Amino acid sequence: MANQEDGISRRAMVSGAAVGLAAAAASAGPALAKPQAPAQGTPATGLKDPRSAGPKPPFQRQSQPWPGLAGKMNPRPDHGETSYRGSGRLAGRKALITGGDSGMGRAAAIAYAREGADVAINYLPDEEADAREVIDLIRAAGRKGIAIPGDLRSEAFCKKLVDSAVKQLGGLDIVVSNAGRQQAHASILDISTEQFDWTMKTNIYAPFWIIKAALPYLQPGSAIIGTTSEQATDPSKDLYDYAMTKAATTNYVRSLAKQLAPKGIRVNGVAPGPVWTPLQVSGGATMEKLENFGGDAPAGRPGQPGELAGIYVILAENGSSFTTGHVYGAAGGNGLP
Ligand code: NAD
Ligand code: MG
């Protein structure tokens, strides 16, 4: 898992680095003849080996009813609960994150709170158990954690959600539109109009309604972040409806960024590849895909949600004030954002 430091491989890398330095010094001549290499066995500071940062396939077949719970997955996803360390990068900020109970949304919520932001999360009522854990983690970081359950397929609820978040946070300057619906279907013939509508309402209409409702509150310097996918540019054959919504997400990021730059509001996207989250074990992936989940990525494994936390932070923070209209990928070596 991401939070487990692999002492053996770190030592191996350090000694490998020392050998490399010595060889470089030898070929560079006498001026560099005595490299200041770390002593044998000294751990390198702050290095995390991506090869051992998360479990690899094969995974156990497992299935949960939609929307699924992170707490019931095997293995449990790593959202950075024990590993993410903040340094005040979002001090005083106020964030609303949809789908903040699990997956990328939970990873962003934990990171934002530890970076000094107050955070409101939205999720479905069935996800209360996951959401409670996130609220506790936000509060443990010393920040305001606000839970606003409800179904984003309703325009009226989306408006209520934003109003309630603004009221309880005392403002709003980060909107992470991250909630998503994904169901795999082998054939377009298997997708009912109801299913199609469900995917469209969750992935396309809800961000439209939420951003419209939030805009009047967003001051210059605010950030909107949409979670898109590698599916936007490289769609799978069994994700016909889902993949088109992700193309739409990438597209709205680029359009809105142009529209809102003159108002000082930035809009960016995050495009994950395969990440170990409840969405995948509650109909998002077939059992065959799940067993070998992430195995096709050059990294040889799926990402853990916590491995994307830093991207959500970077796109929200003041340090990225010239970054807008971009999509930042994290797919273990495959795909284009
Ligand atoms: P997840 O299941 O942890 O998160 C999805 C969340 O969406 C759920 O927790 C739920 O709270 C929310 N949601 C779904 N329908 C909703 C509704 N009608 N009303 C309110 N909330 C609703 O899974 P995740 O993978 O972290 O998903 C987050 C985002 O990442 C999604 O937009 C998804 O499309 C995207 N994504 C995921 C992957 C992956 O491999 N996991 C890859 C690319 C993109
Ligand atoms: Mg969830």
Side-chain angles (χ1 to χ4, degrees):
M1 304 294 282
N3 55 322
Q4 286 171 348
E5 302 285 1
D6 180 346
I8 296 168
S9 58
R10 282 175 55 177
R11 275 194 296 278
M13 283 190 66
V14 169
S15 55
V19 170
L21 264 175
S27 62
L32 282 175
K34 285 187 185 162
Q36 296 294 307
Q40 187 87 11
T42 307
T45 46
L47 277 185
K48 177 164 99 177
D49 186 342
R51 296 171 301 179
S52 52
K56 293 187 167 71
F59 292 99
Q60 186 187 308
R61 291 185 174 213
Q62 55 199 285
S63 174
Q64 294 186 40
W66 179 263
L69 290 174
K72 289 192 172 161
M73 288 176 70
N74 179 22
R76 277 193 67 146
D78 181 356
H79 307 86
E81 285 89 344
T82 61
S83 57
Y84 192 90
R85 278 182 188 76
S87 54
R89 289 161 70 181
L90 300 175
R93 301 286 297 271
K94 298 169 193 309
L96 167 63
I97 304 175
T98 64
D101 59 300
S102 58
M104 264 67 82
R106 181 197 287 222
I110 293 169
Y112 282 8
R114 292 183 188 172
E115 295 292 357
D118 292 330
V119 184
I121 60 167
N122 161 253
Y123 51 93
L124 286 162
D126 285 348
E127 299 174 300
E128 193 60 39
D130 274 358
R132 275 299 123 204
E133 291 183 5
V134 178
I135 293 296
D136 288 349
L137 287 162
I138 295 169
R139 291 179 182 164
R143 307 308 313 177
K144 232 188 241 178
I146 292 156
I148 314 176
D151 194 324
L152 296 175
R153 288 175 294 168
S154 149
E155 180 173 9
F157 174 72
C158 287
K159 285 184 181 157
K160 242 172 63 185
L161 167 65
V162 171
D163 288 343
S164 170
V166 168
K167 209 164 157 194
Q168 296 186 69
L169 292 169
L172 185 65
D173 53 58
I174 304 171
V175 178
V176 180
S177 178
N178 164 78
R181 161 89 173 166
Q182 175 184 323
Q183 295 287 291
H185 292 101
S187 164
I188 185 174
L189 299 175
D190 300 333
I191 304 175
S192 65
T193 297
E194 191 208 356
Q195 278 297 328
F196 187 82
D197 195 53
W198 189 336
T199 308
M200 298 300 140
K201 283 275 161 31
T202 314
N203 298 4
I204 297 184
Y205 279 75
F208 167 61
W209 291 327
I210 289 168
I211 293 167
K212 266 176 76 170
L215 213 45
Y217 300 107
L218 300 182
Q219 302 291 316
S222 299
I224 297 170
I225 299 167
T227 303
T228 177
S229 170
E230 63 177 358
Q231 292 290 326
T233 46
D234 186 15
S236 299
K237 62 183 176 186
D238 62 353
L239 293 174
Y240 168 83
D241 53 341
Y242 172 82
M244 73 170 80
T245 68
K246 293 299 162 176
T249 304
T250 291
N251 199 278
Y252 91 61
V253 162
R254 293 179 178 147
S255 158
L256 264 189
K258 290 176 185 156
Q259 189 182 121
L260 299 182
K263 298 186 189 304
I265 299 165
R266 298 183 298 110
V267 189
N268 291 288
V270 182
V275 183
W276 188 245
T277 69
L279 169 137
Q280 299 291 358
V281 301
S282 51
T286 60
M287 284 301 143
E288 296 71 39
K289 187 171 171 190
L290 212 55
E291 245 181 338
N292 184 41
F293 196 63
D296 295 339
R301 65 172 179 88
Q304 292 295 318
E307 294 185 272
L308 285 81
I311 303 176
Y312 287 89
V313 171
I314 229 171
L315 293 178
E317 70 181 345
N318 290 328
S320 304
S321 48
F322 200 54
T323 301
T324 192
H326 289 285
V327 174
Y328 197 133
N334 266 345
L336 294 169

